[in-house]
């Protein structure tokens, strides 16, 4: 995926990466705007571990989980090697600035076009929204990370894509905060076992309890159950693989009839 983005940038073509998790997938079922954001992306990769499990159950396994919190580092490393620029957009006040410092520390030669942590509610005020977008456009970055949460970040990206046709955009949720060190990611074993959401819930219960416990966990269980049931039904409808069609099966051997009164 990194090679694809680099090739497109070198060809002068921009694009958008969307990393759906369980919550985003749940939203696409009931919300036209959410579906449109995912459908308009050039690259869609699975962030949530349950999506990987679902693809395996369906018999069409995805190659890997690609979290935005990992992608922001790997894509930035590639941009540093290519002498390309990035822009950090999002997070609470000061977050993007701290993330910039962390990235400069890891990639000393990285070109950072700018950073911006817009004020809360900026997207509901046309003047602030346009001013924030203009700040990004003025720097003409190669890659923009927008960390505002879905679908707010996708609305910003939708506006910027028309103004920066050669730029790539990644809606990365909390990833800018992870880079800045404001939030800590779950231990690796929790990430690999699909329990990263529990770590985030423990750190932000007031904000995430309703979303995770009332909506996302039931949806994930329903998703896995429905796909497993469909696969079982599909298997039961398939003819037995080890038996040829009836017309091709050998007939029962013929021989002398068993004399009356004798057991065969």
């Amino acid at each position: 995926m990194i090679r694809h983005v680099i090739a497109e940038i070198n060809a002068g073509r921009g694009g958008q990466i969307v990393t759906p998790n369980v919550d985003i997938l749940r939203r696409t079922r009931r919300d036209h705007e959410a579906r449109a954001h995912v459908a308009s992306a050039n690259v869609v990769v699975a962030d949530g571990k349950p999506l990987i499990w679902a693809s395996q159950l369906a018999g069409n396994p995805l190659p890997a989980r690609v979290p935005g919190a990992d992608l922001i580092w790997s894509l930035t490393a590639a941009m540093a090697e290519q002498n390309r620029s990035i822009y950090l957009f999002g997070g609470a006040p000061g977050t993007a600035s701290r993330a910039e410092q962390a990235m400069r520390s890891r990639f000393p030669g990285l070109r950072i076009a700018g950073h911006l942590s817009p004020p809360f509610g900026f997207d509901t005020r046309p003047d602030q929204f346009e001013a924030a977008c203009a700040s990004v456009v003025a720097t003409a970055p190669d890659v923009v990370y927008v960390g505002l949460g879905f679908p707010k970040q996708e609305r910003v990206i939708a506006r910027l894509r028309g103004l920066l046709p050669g730029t790539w955009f990644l809606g990365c949720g909390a990833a800018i905060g992870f880079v800045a060190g404001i939030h800590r990611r779950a231990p690796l074993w929790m990430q690999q076992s699909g329990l990263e959401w529990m770590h985030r819930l423990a750190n932000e219960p007031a904000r995430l309890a309703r979303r995770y416990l009332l909506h996302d966990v039931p949806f994930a269980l329903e998703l896995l159950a429905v796909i497993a049931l469909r696969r079982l039904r599909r298997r039961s409808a398939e003819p037995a693989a080890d038996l040829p069609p009836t017309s091709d099966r050998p007939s029962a051997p013929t021989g002398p009839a068993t004399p009356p009164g004798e057991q065969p």
Side-chain angles (χ1 to χ4, degrees):
M1 196 199 77
I2 299 294
R3 289 195 296 269
H4 172 73
V5 172
I6 291 173
E8 290 295 287
I9 290 176
N10 290 338
R13 294 187 293 265
Q16 179 183 2
I17 304 167
V18 174
T19 62
N21 53 21
V22 167
D23 190 67
I24 293 176
L25 184 61
R26 176 182 64 84
R27 289 168 183 252
T28 62
R29 287 186 63 185
R30 59 182 177 84
D31 185 76
H32 174 75
E33 181 193 8
R35 288 196 300 275
H37 285 312
V38 175
S40 65
N42 301 82
V43 176
V44 180
V45 289
D47 187 340
K49 194 72 171 181
L51 274 65
I52 302 298
W53 296 335
S55 72
Q56 293 168 344
L57 276 175
N60 186 25
L62 294 170
R65 178 185 175 220
V66 186
D70 290 341
L71 189 55
I72 193 172
W73 285 114
S74 56
L75 186 55
T76 297
M79 293 301 102
E81 292 177 359
Q82 295 286 317
N83 194 31
R84 295 290 185 174
S85 63
I86 69 165
Y87 194 104
L88 296 158
F89 188 111
T95 301
S97 176
R98 291 177 59 175
E100 177 179 343
Q101 295 172 16
M103 284 187 165
R104 288 191 185 280
S105 177
R106 181 174 295 194
F107 309 111
L110 176 66
R111 291 172 53 203
I112 299 184
H115 67 265
L116 178 65
S117 293
F120 180 77
F122 82 101
D123 54 311
T124 63
R125 300 189 57 178
D127 55 336
Q128 292 186 2
F129 185 85
E130 291 302 324
C133 291
S135 298
V136 181
V137 173
T139 66
D142 294 299
V143 173
V144 180
Y145 302 117
V146 186
L148 299 172
F150 185 92
K152 183 187 294 187
Q153 61 196 18
E154 277 67 32
R155 294 176 188 139
V156 173
I157 291 172
R159 172 61 177 154
L160 289 173
R161 285 185 69 178
L163 302 172
L164 293 168
T167 298
W168 273 79
F169 297 89
L170 169 65
C172 58
I176 294 178
F178 290 142
V179 172
I182 293 176
H183 304 298
R184 294 185 61 185
R185 286 194 72 185
L188 186 60
W189 70 269
M190 296 187 80
Q191 297 178 37
Q192 294 176 339
S193 58
L195 297 175
E196 190 168 7
W197 66 273
M198 295 183 68
H199 182 271
R200 293 195 63 190
L201 177 61
N203 283 278
E204 300 180 82
R207 187 175 74 87
L208 296 176
R210 180 179 180 85
R211 167 182 155 182
Y212 283 161
L213 300 180
L214 294 184
H215 300 299
D216 290 355
V217 171
F219 175 80
L221 294 174
E222 177 191 0
L223 172 69
L224 295 172
V226 167
I227 290 179
L229 182 60
R230 286 178 181 173
R231 187 169 187 181
L232 286 173
R233 288 175 175 172
R234 188 165 62 245
R235 283 184 173 180
S236 64
E238 293 174 352
D242 56 344
L243 291 177
T246 304
S247 60
D248 296 334
R249 296 179 192 171
S251 58
T254 59
T258 304
E262 293 186 13
Q263 293 297 323

